[in-house]
């Protein structure tokens, strides 16, 4: 039997969710809810799907197992908390919430009630990111050395968020999905510039020292005349290059790198280091990628999580981790780019909760 | 009549200088000087050029107008100061010196004696950089918005310097040559990582806020399996992209960008901003570049400066400005990436000197 | 008042026509006709559009000004002739017909009745091809020297046609649209290979000598692991390169080439030639391209032609010229690649007709 | 003990041979011979190498085991035949001779005397071509399906040869080296154009049907504003793409293709074909290539052949096969592009000789 879902919000993203829930064998779409009835009706068309204009009425229905929220970000937490309180599983369009505090509340609430809270980090469900996740997690790359991600283009200057909040969530959510430990920087430094006087940063750089001496760096830019979407994940054994604008070779895995073997005899560390450095110049391979639409895989993952009582790939925690980095980045911007801890005091409870969880 | 030059140092770079001074119509190469006579003899071969093994003897000669120094960096300032004291014009292989303090001394000494002090920032004499300089200085790009430079490759881990000191001088000296005001950041933030335990940063990022809200950023990396040498110079009117690994289209100038016109009627700044943003999506052009060897152009510039008593394109000040940024960057690395002022107190004298000069 | 159109054929291509006629301000879609009523109903959905299952009934309707035919190629001429006989303007999916003889009949019939016969060479309505047409026809390239077109990919081996008939119509129809004189080779040579035993050529090459010593060449290939869609149009003044898989720089116009100036004094032709050759190495520019969907522009062009009683860009003659080349190419294939005249005797009448027309 | 070699011809290519023989551990360079003594002296410089101005005197010397000929092509056969008659092994700059008849004589003479006759097809000794040869001959690609080679650029219009004779020898000699059976087309068709009135073809296409239904095609062009050097070798199992202008990924081997399995049950061949076609979309890999200078490898191969009494990779037969194709191509050009047999009657003797040899 199919799971029954309602989509809340019939604006920009809602129709995509409607189309994919309708096309999914796992889901039955029972209702679309929007304050603006005409807008909801237009999305529903002649589909056998109810239109609701009251969130309370929707959440009171017995025939709704889950809701998918595609409303403005500032309303995410209020709607999600109400849905969780009504016992519904919840999918939220990114960003999970408009602040980290709200996101923490949502994550706690979902955990307390044993319900699925999932964030629609769509990119994480593309075939290429799933393949990257598979490669990174297989250990094939060895230890993580560095991540460098560039996402630049002549882009729409957003009226409400800066370029970091607009574009970096893609990079951050992808890192969260593919790195074995998820997105877990201790601190973040952010630099930005608003050279056109737009009122917010149009060029942004994030730097995140990672455990083990590694580093992650993200460059986002609304002002670049050329479009680049590239991520390099450097490992001690192999290095992966993802060039999303090259459909003929999106992914390349290089058996190239610098090796350091400190087991030599010299007493002098500098000398041992010099002697120990060698270079690998091996082959490269470009794995073939399956076809597949990201949104279809995303709604399938939501169904799987609900059915199996399991955390989805991009759960509420993932959404929260992205917000934590973005908030720390915003703080860093205001203090001239200094490193800002990602986990401040007020989130200790959550960290502890997570630790307890790990013990179970 | 030709100018007479001697090359000091017959190691790695010396032979290139010998070859180019010999090939130049402006110069007569009279001597090559090296403590290791055999090494000097090998470079000279059967050319009608003297071999000297004593710097003092060389500098005492009347038939030497200028010396070109291609010795290890730590010896640059000592040799250059001696040559200046002997009344010789001086060309120094980059870096100008091994510290900013030494460089300041060299610059002061040359100025006091009215001699040319030039730094061999070879890249600045390539046809492509000269064309970039011409384009930027013509005003064609409008106001400077951002510079993003990437220079990454699987590179030799240097035994004595980190990746910032190894590679970023290229980017910095180029910026100094092409930007109308030269390389003049007030401060610099640097992040680095040594994920392979090499004993020094192998991945590095420099961020430099520039006057007028612009920003410059440099990414250097010894661990990348793919080679990228790209610089984007974004302007309010046009944006230039230099891809040095694409010989068929090294330079592209885009008439694309984001425009902001705040002269609208609204009292609300945010509203005015939103209404005022527009996008240009014009043509791109790729200027043809003349042929020409950088080193030949460099020695010609040295001759021009000596003859005309004029500052060369890459004078001692340029070498000093690069060192200032690198020293501030090293400081930033040690303090976790915070912005570090480039002009600290002890260089005030020099700044004042420069100001006085500007008043003349 | 809108023109009224019916779409005949509700298979693969029909729905695209339905969508575009529905979205056009110029057209009112009044009916979809298919022998298979269910298929037609599915395409119509809940649109206020009639479903017809009889071509005769459709053509008998007074409220149909034009029909668009999207049925299998072997049925094109029969349906088109019936529609023309019924006084309807006709748009035909490519190829115009399954043979040149049929196409000639269709062209004659449309001309005799003063009705528009148009072939849906969709590619010709893309922004990039329209820009190429504009550039070539402006004379900016100078005299045509050569055309080289490559369209290769791992492609579906077609059950009924070889790779020349499957892919080359794109190149040929584009050439017809952009060259000032249209596609007018006197002869064509074709080479092909079926190395996998598919029963038809999977690799094909077309060579067409053009007036004035120029040459056009087309390479089509179903077996290539990499996808290339590139056309170079070389002119005496400039050369245009179209790389359709590079959305960031689809079109490049080079001011580069070889010049020959034979006006020198020498009596010896070979010597004069040698002395007279020079090379231009000027700038390149990449014109910006407007956005726009090809099919929307195509249906607009159909409306324009009907309203103004004018020949559309891709009229029946264009469809016929493509078929003429393909038939000659097939003949060339059977005779080992020898040059085969494109205009054989039996088409003299048509040529004469065209000549008469030119005199009017 | 080293082999002793003399270089004949001190023009454009001679100095390269001098440098490489001098740098080789296998060879002792004993003399450089040129009618123009000054030119020979300039190449020799202060090396301990004799200068000869008489070919007869040179060939009469006992201390010369081999000669390397770098004179104009029309003199190759006369000098080579004289050297062979004097018992010297012979290396000839490409082309082996200026006609096929001369080349046949040279091959016969060398065979009769048991001496090495080698042609300097330099490209065949590059690391990339050696790797291609290794891959093709390993059987990894399966059966050969097609070869498509493109070598275009804005090139020097040669005063004496057309673009086919200027550029296609590279492609043909490479094919000869890498294909398991060497370059053995039964016939060749050539098309060319001289749209600028240079007096010879500036754009050229070669088509060569190969055994087993495969096809090889070569496109050479002096008038292209963009430079392309690409060769695709399609096989039934894998396909190799060589892009010589992409130093970061010169070679890519694709596990992609179209498969045909005709072992199905249907009686209808067309149906069996349709059912039997499937597509492989596997990974790609880019093998790493060793460093290495082609000319150094070439002179080493010459030494190996002399020492071991073995045929070198690019022996006289290779040079002859290239000339056979070029002569047939020239004939095809004059007859409008028809297929011309490569092995005409007058070469039957040689073919028979080869057959006899094969029986030994």
């Amino acid at each position: 039997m199919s799971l029954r879902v309602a989509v809340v919000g019939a604006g920009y993203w809602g129709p995509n969710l409607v189309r994919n829930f309708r096309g999914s064998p796992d889901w039955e779409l029972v209702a679309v809810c929007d304050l603006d009835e005409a807008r909801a009706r237009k999305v529903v068309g002649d589909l056998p799907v109810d239109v609701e204009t009251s969130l309370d009425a929707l959440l009171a229905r017995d025939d709704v197992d889950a809701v998918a929220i595609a409303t403005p970000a500032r309303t995410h937490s209020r709607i999600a908390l109400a849905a969780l309180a009504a016992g519904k599983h919840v999918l939220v369009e990114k960003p999970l919430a408009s602040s980290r505090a709200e996101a923490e509340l949502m994550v706690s609430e979902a955990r307390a009630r044993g319900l699925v809270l999932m964030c629609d980090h769509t990119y994480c469900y593309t075939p290429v990111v799933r393949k990257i996740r598979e490669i990174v997690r297989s250990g094939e790359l060895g230890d993580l050395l560095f991540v460098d991600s560039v996402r630049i283009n002549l882009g729409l200057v957003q009226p409400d968020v800066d370029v970091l909040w607009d574009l970096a969530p893609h990079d951050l959510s992808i890192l969260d999905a593919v790195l074995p430990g998820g997105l877990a920087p201790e601190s973040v430094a952010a630099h930005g510039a608003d050279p056109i006087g737009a009122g917010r940063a149009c060029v942004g750089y994030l730097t995140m020292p990672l455990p083990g001496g590694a580093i992650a760096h993200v460059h986002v830019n609304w002002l670049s005349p050329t479009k680049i979407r590239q991520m390099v994940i450097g490992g001690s054994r192999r290095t992966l290059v993802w060039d999303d604008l090259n459909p003929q070779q999106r992914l390349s895995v290089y058996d190239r790198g610098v090796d350091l073997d400190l087991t030599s005899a010299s007493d002098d560390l500098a000398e041992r280091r010099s002697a120990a450095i060698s270079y690998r110049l091996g082959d490269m391979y470009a794995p073939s990628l399956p076809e597949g639409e990201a949104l279809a895989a995303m709604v399938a993952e939501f169904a799987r999580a609900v059915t199996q009582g399991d955390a989805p790939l991009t759960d509420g925690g993932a959404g929260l981790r992205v917000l934590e980095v973005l908030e720390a980045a915003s703080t860093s911007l205001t203090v001239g780019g200094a490193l800002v801890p990602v986990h401040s005091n007020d989130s200790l409870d959550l960290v502890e909760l997570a630790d307890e969880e790990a013990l179970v």
Side-chain angles (χ1 to χ4, degrees), chain A residues 119-152:
Chain A
C119 191
D120 176 7
H121 289 152
T122 316
Y123 248 116
C124 300
Y125 297 94
T126 55
V128 65
V129 173
R130 296 179 83 98
K131 174 64 83 175
I132 293 171
R133 177 180 154 89
E134 178 190 320
I135 290 172
V136 173
R137 301 209 158 205
S138 75
E140 179 182 336
L141 304 185
D143 298 328
L144 183 68
L145 300 182
F146 69 93
V147 178
D148 188 85
S149 191
V150 179
R151 186 176 303 273
I152 69 180

mmCIF file of all heavy atoms in Angstrom, chain A residues 119-152:
data_model
loop_
_atom_site.group_PDB
_atom_site.id
_atom_site.type_symbol
_atom_site.label_atom_id
_atom_site.label_comp_id
_atom_site.label_asym_id
_atom_site.label_seq_id
_atom_site.Cartn_x
_atom_site.Cartn_y
_atom_site.Cartn_z
ATOM 1 N N CYS A 119 15.309 16.777 4.669
ATOM 2 C CA CYS A 119 15.496 18.035 3.957
ATOM 3 C C CYS A 119 15.751 17.731 2.480
ATOM 4 O O CYS A 119 16.533 16.832 2.147
ATOM 5 C CB CYS A 119 16.669 18.807 4.575
ATOM 6 S SG CYS A 119 16.784 20.515 3.966
ATOM 7 N N ASP A 120 15.096 18.468 1.627
ATOM 8 C CA ASP A 120 15.214 18.203 0.189
ATOM 9 C C ASP A 120 16.485 18.858 -0.376
ATOM 10 O O ASP A 120 16.426 19.882 -1.040
ATOM 11 C CB ASP A 120 13.962 18.734 -0.525
ATOM 12 C CG ASP A 120 14.060 18.569 -2.039
ATOM 13 O OD1 ASP A 120 15.026 17.933 -2.515
ATOM 14 O OD2 ASP A 120 13.167 19.081 -2.744
ATOM 15 N N HIS A 121 17.622 18.222 -0.063
ATOM 16 C CA HIS A 121 18.878 18.639 -0.700
ATOM 17 C C HIS A 121 18.953 17.916 -2.036
ATOM 18 O O HIS A 121 19.612 16.890 -2.182
ATOM 19 C CB HIS A 121 20.075 18.264 0.175
ATOM 20 C CG HIS A 121 20.190 19.087 1.423
ATOM 21 N ND1 HIS A 121 20.781 18.618 2.577
ATOM 22 C CD2 HIS A 121 19.797 20.365 1.708
ATOM 23 C CE1 HIS A 121 20.748 19.556 3.512
ATOM 24 N NE2 HIS A 121 20.159 20.619 3.009
ATOM 25 N N THR A 122 18.288 18.468 -3.030
ATOM 26 C CA THR A 122 18.064 17.745 -4.284
ATOM 27 C C THR A 122 19.348 17.236 -4.923
ATOM 28 O O THR A 122 19.416 16.111 -5.418
ATOM 29 C CB THR A 122 17.322 18.649 -5.297
ATOM 30 O OG1 THR A 122 16.275 19.330 -4.611
ATOM 31 C CG2 THR A 122 16.739 17.828 -6.419
ATOM 32 N N TYR A 123 20.375 18.090 -4.936
ATOM 33 C CA TYR A 123 21.638 17.722 -5.588
ATOM 34 C C TYR A 123 22.192 16.381 -5.118
ATOM 35 O O TYR A 123 22.857 15.667 -5.858
ATOM 36 C CB TYR A 123 22.685 18.795 -5.282
ATOM 37 C CG TYR A 123 23.099 19.606 -6.473
ATOM 38 C CD1 TYR A 123 22.835 20.965 -6.529
ATOM 39 C CD2 TYR A 123 23.763 19.010 -7.548
ATOM 40 C CE1 TYR A 123 23.220 21.715 -7.618
ATOM 41 C CE2 TYR A 123 24.149 19.759 -8.635
ATOM 42 C CZ TYR A 123 23.875 21.106 -8.676
ATOM 43 O OH TYR A 123 24.252 21.838 -9.754
ATOM 44 N N CYS A 124 21.915 16.079 -3.832
ATOM 45 C CA CYS A 124 22.476 14.855 -3.267
ATOM 46 C C CYS A 124 21.882 13.599 -3.885
ATOM 47 O O CYS A 124 22.392 12.493 -3.675
ATOM 48 C CB CYS A 124 22.260 14.829 -1.751
ATOM 49 S SG CYS A 124 23.050 16.220 -0.927
ATOM 50 N N TYR A 125 20.817 13.763 -4.653
ATOM 51 C CA TYR A 125 20.167 12.604 -5.257
ATOM 52 C C TYR A 125 20.453 12.482 -6.753
ATOM 53 O O TYR A 125 19.901 11.627 -7.422
ATOM 54 C CB TYR A 125 18.656 12.643 -4.971
ATOM 55 C CG TYR A 125 18.394 12.555 -3.491
ATOM 56 C CD1 TYR A 125 18.238 13.697 -2.712
ATOM 57 C CD2 TYR A 125 18.375 11.316 -2.849
ATOM 58 C CE1 TYR A 125 18.054 13.612 -1.340
ATOM 59 C CE2 TYR A 125 18.185 11.218 -1.486
ATOM 60 C CZ TYR A 125 18.032 12.373 -0.738
ATOM 61 O OH TYR A 125 17.868 12.268 0.621
ATOM 62 N N THR A 126 21.320 13.341 -7.255
ATOM 63 C CA THR A 126 21.719 13.177 -8.657
ATOM 64 C C THR A 126 22.625 11.951 -8.782
ATOM 65 O O THR A 126 23.328 11.582 -7.831
ATOM 66 C CB THR A 126 22.502 14.411 -9.145
ATOM 67 O OG1 THR A 126 23.604 14.625 -8.266
ATOM 68 C CG2 THR A 126 21.624 15.657 -9.155
ATOM 69 N N PRO A 127 22.627 11.327 -9.952
ATOM 70 C CA PRO A 127 23.502 10.159 -10.129
ATOM 71 C C PRO A 127 24.962 10.474 -9.831
ATOM 72 O O PRO A 127 25.673 9.648 -9.261
ATOM 73 C CB PRO A 127 23.290 9.805 -11.606
ATOM 74 C CG PRO A 127 21.904 10.283 -11.917
ATOM 75 C CD PRO A 127 21.738 11.538 -11.124
ATOM 76 N N VAL A 128 25.407 11.667 -10.181
ATOM 77 C CA VAL A 128 26.825 11.953 -10.001
ATOM 78 C C VAL A 128 27.185 12.070 -8.527
ATOM 79 O O VAL A 128 28.214 11.549 -8.087
ATOM 80 C CB VAL A 128 27.253 13.220 -10.801
ATOM 81 C CG1 VAL A 128 26.586 14.475 -10.309
ATOM 82 C CG2 VAL A 128 28.763 13.368 -10.789
ATOM 83 N N VAL A 129 26.328 12.712 -7.735
ATOM 84 C CA VAL A 129 26.660 12.831 -6.314
ATOM 85 C C VAL A 129 26.552 11.475 -5.625
ATOM 86 O O VAL A 129 27.354 11.141 -4.748
ATOM 87 C CB VAL A 129 25.773 13.897 -5.627
ATOM 88 C CG1 VAL A 129 25.999 13.902 -4.122
ATOM 89 C CG2 VAL A 129 26.080 15.275 -6.190
ATOM 90 N N ARG A 130 25.599 10.670 -6.036
ATOM 91 C CA ARG A 130 25.508 9.328 -5.443
ATOM 92 C C ARG A 130 26.764 8.522 -5.768
ATOM 93 O O ARG A 130 27.263 7.765 -4.929
ATOM 94 C CB ARG A 130 24.249 8.616 -5.930
ATOM 95 C CG ARG A 130 22.968 9.330 -5.462
ATOM 96 C CD ARG A 130 21.708 8.636 -5.966
ATOM 97 N NE ARG A 130 21.333 7.522 -5.126
ATOM 98 C CZ ARG A 130 20.393 7.582 -4.168
ATOM 99 N NH1 ARG A 130 19.742 8.712 -3.954
ATOM 100 N NH2 ARG A 130 20.124 6.530 -3.437
ATOM 101 N N LYS A 131 27.275 8.686 -6.976
ATOM 102 C CA LYS A 131 28.508 7.967 -7.345
ATOM 103 C C LYS A 131 29.700 8.507 -6.549
ATOM 104 O O LYS A 131 30.548 7.745 -6.073
ATOM 105 C CB LYS A 131 28.742 8.115 -8.853
ATOM 106 C CG LYS A 131 30.041 7.541 -9.357
ATOM 107 C CD LYS A 131 30.156 6.024 -9.175
ATOM 108 C CE LYS A 131 29.466 5.286 -10.309
ATOM 109 N NZ LYS A 131 29.674 3.831 -10.221
ATOM 110 N N ILE A 132 29.746 9.813 -6.364
ATOM 111 C CA ILE A 132 30.844 10.397 -5.574
ATOM 112 C C ILE A 132 30.791 9.857 -4.149
ATOM 113 O O ILE A 132 31.807 9.453 -3.578
ATOM 114 C CB ILE A 132 30.744 11.940 -5.566
ATOM 115 C CG1 ILE A 132 30.991 12.498 -6.972
ATOM 116 C CG2 ILE A 132 31.732 12.547 -4.573
ATOM 117 C CD1 ILE A 132 30.706 13.983 -7.107
ATOM 118 N N ARG A 133 29.587 9.823 -3.591
ATOM 119 C CA ARG A 133 29.414 9.287 -2.240
ATOM 120 C C ARG A 133 29.924 7.851 -2.151
ATOM 121 O O ARG A 133 30.636 7.475 -1.222
ATOM 122 C CB ARG A 133 27.927 9.358 -1.882
ATOM 123 C CG ARG A 133 27.566 8.775 -0.533
ATOM 124 C CD ARG A 133 26.048 8.919 -0.292
ATOM 125 N NE ARG A 133 25.569 7.909 0.614
ATOM 126 C CZ ARG A 133 25.530 8.047 1.949
ATOM 127 N NH1 ARG A 133 25.934 9.169 2.474
ATOM 128 N NH2 ARG A 133 25.109 7.061 2.712
ATOM 129 N N GLU A 134 29.566 7.077 -3.172
ATOM 130 C CA GLU A 134 29.983 5.665 -3.196
ATOM 131 C C GLU A 134 31.523 5.566 -3.245
ATOM 132 O O GLU A 134 32.119 4.772 -2.521
ATOM 133 C CB GLU A 134 29.347 5.024 -4.434
ATOM 134 C CG GLU A 134 29.677 3.579 -4.679
ATOM 135 C CD GLU A 134 29.159 3.165 -6.080
ATOM 136 O OE1 GLU A 134 28.038 3.608 -6.460
ATOM 137 O OE2 GLU A 134 29.894 2.448 -6.790
ATOM 138 N N ILE A 135 32.118 6.391 -4.089
ATOM 139 C CA ILE A 135 33.579 6.333 -4.248
ATOM 140 C C ILE A 135 34.280 6.794 -2.972
ATOM 141 O O ILE A 135 35.187 6.143 -2.470
ATOM 142 C CB ILE A 135 34.019 7.193 -5.453
ATOM 143 C CG1 ILE A 135 33.572 6.532 -6.759
ATOM 144 C CG2 ILE A 135 35.526 7.411 -5.454
ATOM 145 C CD1 ILE A 135 33.772 7.388 -7.999
ATOM 146 N N VAL A 136 33.828 7.941 -2.430
ATOM 147 C CA VAL A 136 34.487 8.473 -1.238
ATOM 148 C C VAL A 136 34.343 7.494 -0.082
ATOM 149 O O VAL A 136 35.308 7.185 0.632
ATOM 150 C CB VAL A 136 33.905 9.851 -0.857
ATOM 151 C CG1 VAL A 136 34.475 10.326 0.474
ATOM 152 C CG2 VAL A 136 34.190 10.868 -1.959
ATOM 153 N N ARG A 137 33.147 6.962 0.088
ATOM 154 C CA ARG A 137 32.899 6.095 1.243
ATOM 155 C C ARG A 137 33.543 4.718 1.088
ATOM 156 O O ARG A 137 33.701 3.984 2.073
ATOM 157 C CB ARG A 137 31.400 5.945 1.467
ATOM 158 C CG ARG A 137 30.754 7.316 1.705
ATOM 159 C CD ARG A 137 29.531 7.250 2.570
ATOM 160 N NE ARG A 137 29.298 8.564 3.153
ATOM 161 C CZ ARG A 137 28.633 8.772 4.283
ATOM 162 N NH1 ARG A 137 28.135 7.752 4.950
ATOM 163 N NH2 ARG A 137 28.476 9.991 4.742
ATOM 164 N N SER A 138 33.864 4.334 -0.136
ATOM 165 C CA SER A 138 34.514 3.037 -0.323
ATOM 166 C C SER A 138 35.951 3.067 0.191
ATOM 167 O O SER A 138 36.600 2.036 0.310
ATOM 168 C CB SER A 138 34.544 2.686 -1.809
ATOM 169 O OG SER A 138 35.538 3.471 -2.472
ATOM 170 N N GLY A 139 36.441 4.260 0.486
ATOM 171 C CA GLY A 139 37.829 4.370 0.936
ATOM 172 C C GLY A 139 38.824 4.441 -0.213
ATOM 173 O O GLY A 139 40.026 4.557 -0.001
ATOM 174 N N GLU A 140 38.309 4.412 -1.431
ATOM 175 C CA GLU A 140 39.190 4.387 -2.605
ATOM 176 C C GLU A 140 40.119 5.608 -2.669
ATOM 177 O O GLU A 140 41.226 5.510 -3.195
ATOM 178 C CB GLU A 140 38.302 4.340 -3.856
ATOM 179 C CG GLU A 140 39.044 4.325 -5.158
ATOM 180 C CD GLU A 140 38.079 4.327 -6.354
ATOM 181 O OE1 GLU A 140 36.912 3.894 -6.199
ATOM 182 O OE2 GLU A 140 38.498 4.761 -7.430
ATOM 183 N N LEU A 141 39.660 6.737 -2.151
ATOM 184 C CA LEU A 141 40.490 7.940 -2.225
ATOM 185 C C LEU A 141 41.542 7.988 -1.118
ATOM 186 O O LEU A 141 42.447 8.805 -1.158
ATOM 187 C CB LEU A 141 39.622 9.208 -2.134
ATOM 188 C CG LEU A 141 38.495 9.370 -3.154
ATOM 189 C CD1 LEU A 141 37.832 10.728 -2.988
ATOM 190 C CD2 LEU A 141 38.997 9.197 -4.582
ATOM 191 N N GLY A 142 41.429 7.114 -0.135
ATOM 192 C CA GLY A 142 42.337 7.169 1.014
ATOM 193 C C GLY A 142 41.880 8.228 1.994
ATOM 194 O O GLY A 142 40.683 8.548 2.071
ATOM 195 N N ASP A 143 42.816 8.807 2.729
ATOM 196 C CA ASP A 143 42.445 9.866 3.677
ATOM 197 C C ASP A 143 42.130 11.149 2.932
ATOM 198 O O ASP A 143 42.748 11.462 1.924
ATOM 199 C CB ASP A 143 43.615 10.134 4.637
ATOM 200 C CG ASP A 143 43.942 8.902 5.469
ATOM 201 O OD1 ASP A 143 43.016 8.131 5.778
ATOM 202 O OD2 ASP A 143 45.134 8.711 5.779
ATOM 203 N N LEU A 144 41.186 11.892 3.479
ATOM 204 C CA LEU A 144 40.812 13.163 2.850
ATOM 205 C C LEU A 144 41.913 14.200 3.057
ATOM 206 O O LEU A 144 42.362 14.427 4.182
ATOM 207 C CB LEU A 144 39.510 13.660 3.484
ATOM 208 C CG LEU A 144 38.945 14.952 2.876
ATOM 209 C CD1 LEU A 144 38.475 14.708 1.463
ATOM 210 C CD2 LEU A 144 37.802 15.488 3.737
ATOM 211 N N LEU A 145 42.351 14.838 1.968
ATOM 212 C CA LEU A 145 43.377 15.878 2.083
ATOM 213 C C LEU A 145 42.788 17.270 1.912
ATOM 214 O O LEU A 145 43.054 18.172 2.686
ATOM 215 C CB LEU A 145 44.464 15.661 1.018
ATOM 216 C CG LEU A 145 45.212 14.326 1.065
ATOM 217 C CD1 LEU A 145 46.288 14.294 -0.007
ATOM 218 C CD2 LEU A 145 45.830 14.090 2.435
ATOM 219 N N PHE A 146 41.995 17.441 0.864
ATOM 220 C CA PHE A 146 41.404 18.767 0.657
ATOM 221 C C PHE A 146 40.164 18.641 -0.215
ATOM 222 O O PHE A 146 40.002 17.673 -0.964
ATOM 223 C CB PHE A 146 42.402 19.738 0.004
ATOM 224 C CG PHE A 146 42.745 19.411 -1.431
ATOM 225 C CD1 PHE A 146 42.036 19.981 -2.485
ATOM 226 C CD2 PHE A 146 43.759 18.515 -1.723
ATOM 227 C CE1 PHE A 146 42.353 19.674 -3.805
ATOM 228 C CE2 PHE A 146 44.088 18.208 -3.037
ATOM 229 C CZ PHE A 146 43.381 18.779 -4.075
ATOM 230 N N VAL A 147 39.283 19.623 -0.051
ATOM 231 C CA VAL A 147 38.119 19.747 -0.921
ATOM 232 C C VAL A 147 38.119 21.183 -1.433
ATOM 233 O O VAL A 147 38.258 22.124 -0.647
ATOM 234 C CB VAL A 147 36.799 19.493 -0.166
ATOM 235 C CG1 VAL A 147 35.618 19.679 -1.107
ATOM 236 C CG2 VAL A 147 36.785 18.112 0.458
ATOM 237 N N ASP A 148 37.980 21.330 -2.727
ATOM 238 C CA ASP A 148 37.883 22.685 -3.290
ATOM 239 C C ASP A 148 36.675 22.729 -4.214
ATOM 240 O O ASP A 148 36.605 21.984 -5.189
ATOM 241 C CB ASP A 148 39.160 23.034 -4.057
ATOM 242 C CG ASP A 148 39.170 24.494 -4.472
ATOM 243 O OD1 ASP A 148 39.575 25.325 -3.656
ATOM 244 O OD2 ASP A 148 38.742 24.797 -5.604
ATOM 245 N N SER A 149 35.740 23.583 -3.881
ATOM 246 C CA SER A 149 34.492 23.628 -4.640
ATOM 247 C C SER A 149 34.269 25.031 -5.186
ATOM 248 O O SER A 149 34.391 26.015 -4.466
ATOM 249 C CB SER A 149 33.328 23.222 -3.724
ATOM 250 O OG SER A 149 32.164 23.011 -4.482
ATOM 251 N N VAL A 150 33.968 25.097 -6.469
ATOM 252 C CA VAL A 150 33.745 26.385 -7.127
ATOM 253 C C VAL A 150 32.374 26.354 -7.793
ATOM 254 O O VAL A 150 32.048 25.415 -8.525
ATOM 255 C CB VAL A 150 34.842 26.658 -8.190
ATOM 256 C CG1 VAL A 150 34.587 27.993 -8.881
ATOM 257 C CG2 VAL A 150 36.224 26.628 -7.568
ATOM 258 N N ARG A 151 31.577 27.338 -7.519
ATOM 259 C CA ARG A 151 30.215 27.427 -8.068
ATOM 260 C C ARG A 151 29.987 28.885 -8.428
ATOM 261 O O ARG A 151 29.519 29.680 -7.629
ATOM 262 C CB ARG A 151 29.211 26.933 -7.030
ATOM 263 C CG ARG A 151 27.763 26.841 -7.510
ATOM 264 C CD ARG A 151 26.859 26.250 -6.420
ATOM 265 N NE ARG A 151 27.341 24.959 -6.000
ATOM 266 C CZ ARG A 151 27.016 23.806 -6.597
ATOM 267 N NH1 ARG A 151 26.138 23.810 -7.575
ATOM 268 N NH2 ARG A 151 27.539 22.673 -6.198
ATOM 269 N N ILE A 152 30.370 29.243 -9.634
ATOM 270 C CA ILE A 152 30.322 30.650 -10.016
ATOM 271 C C ILE A 152 29.611 30.810 -11.358
ATOM 272 O O ILE A 152 29.621 29.906 -12.190
ATOM 273 C CB ILE A 152 31.734 31.259 -10.085
ATOM 274 C CG1 ILE A 152 32.532 30.691 -11.264
ATOM 275 C CG2 ILE A 152 32.494 31.005 -8.791
ATOM 276 C CD1 ILE A 152 33.922 31.270 -11.372
#
